[in-house]
Amino acid sequence: METPKRRSVAPVYSMCVQPAFIIGTRNEDGTANFAPITWVSVTHEKGDGYLLVISMAGTKRTKQNVLRTGIFSANLVSTDMLPLMDYFGSRHAENGRKDEMEYSVSRGAVLDVPVLDQSRWVYECEVSRTVETGDSATFFCAIRNIQMDERLHCRDTFDVDLTVLDPVIYSGKYHSLGKLLGEIGDFL
Ligand SMILES: Cc1cc2nc3c(=O)[nH]c(=O)nc-3n(C[C@H](O)[C@H](O)[C@H](O)COP(=O)(O)O)c2cc1C
């Protein structure tokens, strides 16, 4: 195994290997709005419950909608959805509806949230706690429903084959996933 040579640099980077989600919310008039958010993680609550943790900065409409309604969908972005992600991320809802690209939307199966039909993994979320840091809000959210691609056959919560989901991985640039390397314990 090669030992890398590192150098210290100023702490100006925020590099974390981030998942890519497009967040679906409802505007005040009930119409749907979508925007990419990659500051997303999970934590555990009690029992079997997981919380989705998601951070939104500034005054973007998506954040305002989540603060107002307390619910949203988190649509995992697969590589075939990159044009959509780029589009939603380069437009602000305050400048008009994001309807210059074609995409189809359904209502969540459990919550009244707009869901992207193209996504292979969708969380329907309800905010249970909000932490503010400067101009950012971090939402800890109960996952009320998961819609997963029918091609996935998960034996348990650790058995999710990401190659089926083909997720976009983000860290300032867009990447795709490499190959499946194994399971917990395979490298002991
Ligand atoms: C790849 C990508 C990742 C982003 N991740 C975040 C994020 O994690 N948090 C955030 O507050 N904004 C993030 N944004 C910015 C919002 O998506 C962007 O401001 C969007 O235009 C907001 O749309 P809205 O005004 O309709 O809510 C990201 C944008 C892109 C393109």
Side-chain angles (χ1 to χ4, degrees):
M1 208 182 358
E2 201 181 314
T3 306
K5 289 200 170 90
R6 290 189 299 259
R7 64 191 157 93
S8 292
V9 296
V12 293
Y13 294 92
S14 66
M15 199 291 297
C16 278
V17 181
Q18 294 166 31
F21 284 92
I22 294 174
I23 303 308
T25 56
R26 288 221 185 277
N27 299 311
E28 270 181 293
D29 64 0
T31 55
N33 186 51
F34 292 96
I37 301 288
T38 55
W39 293 344
V40 179
S41 184
V42 283
T43 189
H44 187 250
E45 205 180 20
K46 53 185 182 305
D48 293 331
Y50 290 97
L51 294 173
L52 191 88
V53 183
I54 183 165
S55 261
M56 301 181 195
T59 56
K60 54 179 58 72
R61 175 72 64 78
T62 300
K63 181 176 164 185
Q64 293 169 23
N65 285 348
V66 172
L67 287 168
R68 193 186 70 258
T69 64
I71 54 174
F72 62 90
S73 70
N75 304 262
L76 188 75
V77 180
S78 44
T79 58
D80 59 331
M81 293 170 68
L82 267 171
L84 213 47
M85 171 150 163
D86 241 358
Y87 171 66
F88 288 141
S90 59
R91 299 285 188 284
H92 304 292
E94 65 176 12
N95 297 327
R97 290 191 62 181
K98 302 183 189 183
D99 55 8
E100 293 138 309
M101 273 190 77
E102 245 183 63
Y103 53 93
S104 57
V105 179
S106 300
R107 184 189 182 279
V110 168
L111 298 178
D112 180 21
V113 288
V115 166
L116 286 173
D117 293 340
Q118 213 182 328
S119 178
R120 301 177 193 189
W121 185 290
V122 179
Y123 289 116
E124 297 178 39
C125 295
E126 185 171 3
V127 176
S128 62
R129 199 174 309 161
T130 303
V131 176
E132 308 231 3
T133 48
D135 83 333
S136 292
T138 300
F139 302 108
F140 291 75
C141 311
I143 297 168
R144 296 296 184 210
N145 190 41
I146 298 174
Q147 299 183 34
M148 70 164 77
D149 192 310
E150 287 186 353
R151 288 170 294 182
L152 278 171
H153 300 286
C154 309
R155 284 166 295 160
D156 55 50
T157 52
F158 292 103
D159 186 29
V160 181
D161 183 349
L162 289 181
T163 56
V164 174
L165 300 177
D166 188 25
V168 170
I169 296 156
Y170 180 73
S171 219
K173 296 182 194 298
Y174 301 127
H175 297 258
S176 64
L177 197 71
K179 50 187 185 297
L180 176 62
L181 299 177
E183 304 192 7
I184 293 176
D186 284 355
F187 301 93
L188 292 177

